[in-house]
Amino acid sequence: MTTNTSGSKRWTYFHSALQLAIQRSAHKWTYEDFAECFSLWCEEQPENASGVFTIISGGLESLITKNCEELLQRYDVKDNLDNLHAVVTAARARKQTAYDGKDVWREDLQPKAAVQARTVPLLEKEKERLLVELKQVRHALDEENLALQSEMQNNVRKREEVDAETSRLLDIVDQAFARWENLPMEEIQSWTLQTAESTSRLA
């Protein structure tokens, strides 16, 4: 099998036993059994028959191996066996050292209490980590909000300055137009006509 065999001792034993079972299963059908089914062909063409038998046996072993590997990967057998081996090894080590912690199994100890003794400290540690991470995220969001607020206020200020400048220019235009309307147009036209006549005479 091509599955990685590096792992715990429990996984190594299981993997080796599975390999041996596959080999025995694939080659349980011997050439003698094959020859009994195709006796005439095996007598007339023994070399070809032997080659075909070898191909069939190898193909059968490859097929079984492939299917087993897919099952091992689908159910994560290696990691589960490694975890089981680690738990059993740790339990044996605690037993040898006369460990008397709160999570040691006793007849009067409920499974819920044993699980809590293990998981509650881990959950509290994870809670502290998440609180720190949440605080960091909030700080980053606050800084980003302040930056956006400052940018928005700056844009509003610039908009107000542009509006004020536009209003000032419009006032100047209105004043110029009002002065233009108050000019004595008849006198201007008369002066323009006289100037034109004087210019034509000089020419």
Side-chain angles (χ1 to χ4, degrees):
M1 297 178 67
T2 58
T3 304
N4 185 10
T5 58
S6 61
S8 64
K9 184 183 296 184
R10 194 176 299 271
W11 161 254
T12 302
Y13 289 161
F14 171 80
H15 186 264
S16 299
L18 182 60
Q19 281 184 311
L20 181 60
I22 291 174
Q23 292 174 357
R24 289 182 177 178
S25 175
H27 299 284
K28 184 177 181 180
W29 191 35
T30 64
Y31 181 75
E32 287 73 15
D33 298 328
F34 181 78
E36 289 182 2
C37 296
F38 308 98
S39 57
L40 182 60
W41 180 48
C42 291
E43 291 177 1
E44 294 178 351
Q45 300 180 6
E47 294 181 357
N48 293 338
S50 177
V52 170
F53 172 76
T54 302
I55 293 174
I56 293 175
S57 298
L60 184 61
E61 182 177 354
S62 298
L63 179 62
I64 297 175
T65 299
K66 179 182 177 182
N67 292 336
C68 288
E69 287 181 351
E70 291 178 354
L71 289 174
L72 293 177
Q73 293 177 1
R74 180 185 305 173
Y75 295 103
D76 203 10
V77 175
K78 179 180 179 300
D79 289 342
N80 290 331
L81 284 177
D82 288 345
N83 292 335
L84 175 62
H85 182 75
V87 170
V88 173
T89 302
R92 289 175 178 173
R94 287 196 300 270
K95 185 176 181 180
Q96 291 177 357
T97 57
Y99 177 75
D100 59 353
K102 294 182 180 180
D103 59 340
V104 173
W105 176 257
R106 299 189 306 271
E107 292 184 0
D108 59 341
L109 181 63
Q110 296 297 323
K112 182 178 180 180
V115 172
Q116 288 178 345
R118 280 281 187 177
T119 57
V120 169
L122 296 177
L123 293 175
E124 290 178 348
K125 184 177 180 180
E126 181 66 13
K127 176 184 176 182
E128 293 177 358
R129 186 188 69 81
L130 291 175
L131 288 175
V132 172
E133 184 176 349
L134 179 61
K135 184 177 180 181
Q136 294 175 350
V137 172
R138 284 181 175 177
H139 181 69
L141 290 176
D142 289 341
E143 290 184 348
E144 184 177 357
N145 289 336
L146 289 175
L148 292 175
Q149 183 179 2
S150 177
E151 182 179 356
M152 183 179 65
Q153 291 176 350
N154 188 33
N155 291 335
V156 171
R157 180 178 55 80
K158 290 181 179 180
R159 175 68 179 275
E160 292 175 349
E161 291 176 355
V162 171
D163 291 343
E165 181 65 15
T166 302
S167 178
R168 187 183 68 83
L169 293 176
L170 290 175
D171 290 341
I172 293 175
V173 172
D174 290 340
Q175 293 174 5
F177 183 74
R179 291 179 180 179
W180 173 261
E181 287 185 337
N182 293 329
L183 289 176
M185 299 304 298
E186 293 181 357
E187 295 180 3
I188 292 175
Q189 291 176 357
S190 177
W191 177 81
T192 303
L193 181 60
Q194 291 176 2
T195 302
E197 291 177 352
S198 299
T199 303
S200 61
R201 290 174 183 175
L202 293 175

